[in-house]
Amino acid sequence: MIRMPSVKNQSGTVMKDELGQHLDVLRRYALVLMRDPDQAEDLVQEALVKAIEGASSFTDGRDLRKWLLAIVHNTFVDRWRRQQAERQATGELSSMAEEGSPPAQLSHVHLGQTIAALMTLPVEQREALVLVALDGMSYRDAAECLGIPVGTLMSRLGRARDALRAKTGGGRQPASDQSDRTPSDRVQRPPLRVVK
């Protein structure tokens, strides 16, 4: 459990209650980045320490959630650079799902498969998808939080959605799978004409 000390920004406003309101969003984002609940909690705590130490740089009128998410992101990037070898998490979510009892409802199964597929995406795609699709941030806000151009965010988001659809069976079949289909299953296309 994180205890929130009293924190003051530039104008002297106490931020303790405001920081506490964003803990769930920070934890969810950190969990997607770290893929491990304990490491995610450590990341949130480290980011909050940085936020508290740098509270005097926060100005009134800024979006506190975006500021905190940016700190979590930057803290993650710093950790990733320091411990790149350790960050090669492989199949932890899959092994946890195999050890547990199967869910009673199909929606739980699909959710588990979607989360497992999400965790296999590259970190750049995961963070873009989580900020926009789960946290409801606008493209501009998410791009600002990640420190990238909006076009780059949209590109990462598109690739993440396509990969997620392919991994969960919700997208188009790859070309190699279409060759196994019978001719009656294939879509007939009109022949191309050369226009001069």
Side-chain angles (χ1 to χ4, degrees):
M1 191 68 178
I2 297 175
R3 278 194 182 160
M4 301 302 295
S6 294
V7 183
K8 294 185 179 185
N9 61 4
Q10 282 182 339
S11 65
T13 307
V14 176
M15 297 171 57
K16 177 180 175 180
D17 294 333
E18 294 176 41
L19 287 174
Q21 293 172 2
H22 298 289
L23 283 178
D24 288 339
V25 171
L26 299 179
R27 285 182 176 130
R28 181 173 55 235
Y29 183 52
L31 182 60
V32 168
L33 293 174
M34 298 304 293
R35 302 179 188 183
D36 177 81
D38 294 330
Q39 290 181 12
E41 190 67 22
D42 290 345
L43 178 65
V44 170
Q45 288 183 14
E46 186 177 343
L48 286 174
V49 167
K50 289 181 179 183
I52 291 166
E53 289 173 352
S56 61
S57 68
F58 181 78
T59 56
D60 288 332
R62 279 182 73 187
D63 185 346
L64 181 62
R65 182 178 70 142
K66 281 186 353 187
W67 185 69
L68 291 171
L69 284 169
I71 292 172
V72 170
H73 170 74
N74 292 336
T75 303
F76 169 75
V77 170
D78 291 344
R79 280 181 163 205
W80 184 81
R81 288 178 178 154
R82 282 193 315 259
Q83 306 169 355
Q84 189 172 11
E86 295 176 18
R87 207 153 319 284
Q88 302 301 324
T90 54
E92 290 180 19
L93 188 60
S94 298
S95 66
M96 288 179 2
E98 291 172 3
E99 292 171 6
S101 61
Q105 298 177 351
L106 183 60
S107 62
H108 291 296
V109 172
H110 184 66
L111 178 61
Q113 291 169 344
T114 302
I115 290 172
L118 174 69
M119 293 305 177
T120 65
L121 297 178
V123 67
E124 296 85 8
Q125 293 178 12
R126 284 196 320 266
E127 62 191 10
L129 195 59
V130 167
L131 289 177
V132 173
L134 293 181
D135 289 333
M137 291 183 88
S138 70
Y139 289 170
R140 184 176 46 84
D141 289 346
E144 184 180 320
C145 181
L146 297 174
I148 58 174
V150 173
T152 302
L153 174 87
M154 292 172 67
S155 175
R156 289 178 183 177
L157 191 57
R159 286 194 308 271
R161 287 176 173 158
D162 288 345
L164 204 53
R165 278 189 213 103
K167 290 174 189 264
T168 60
R172 297 180 299 246
Q173 287 186 321
S176 61
D177 290 346
Q178 292 179 0
S179 63
D180 296 337
R181 302 164 99 189
T182 63
S184 62
D185 290 339
R186 293 188 193 127
V187 175
Q188 295 296 321
R189 295 184 181 158
L192 295 175
R193 294 183 306 151
V194 177
V195 178
K196 293 184 180 182

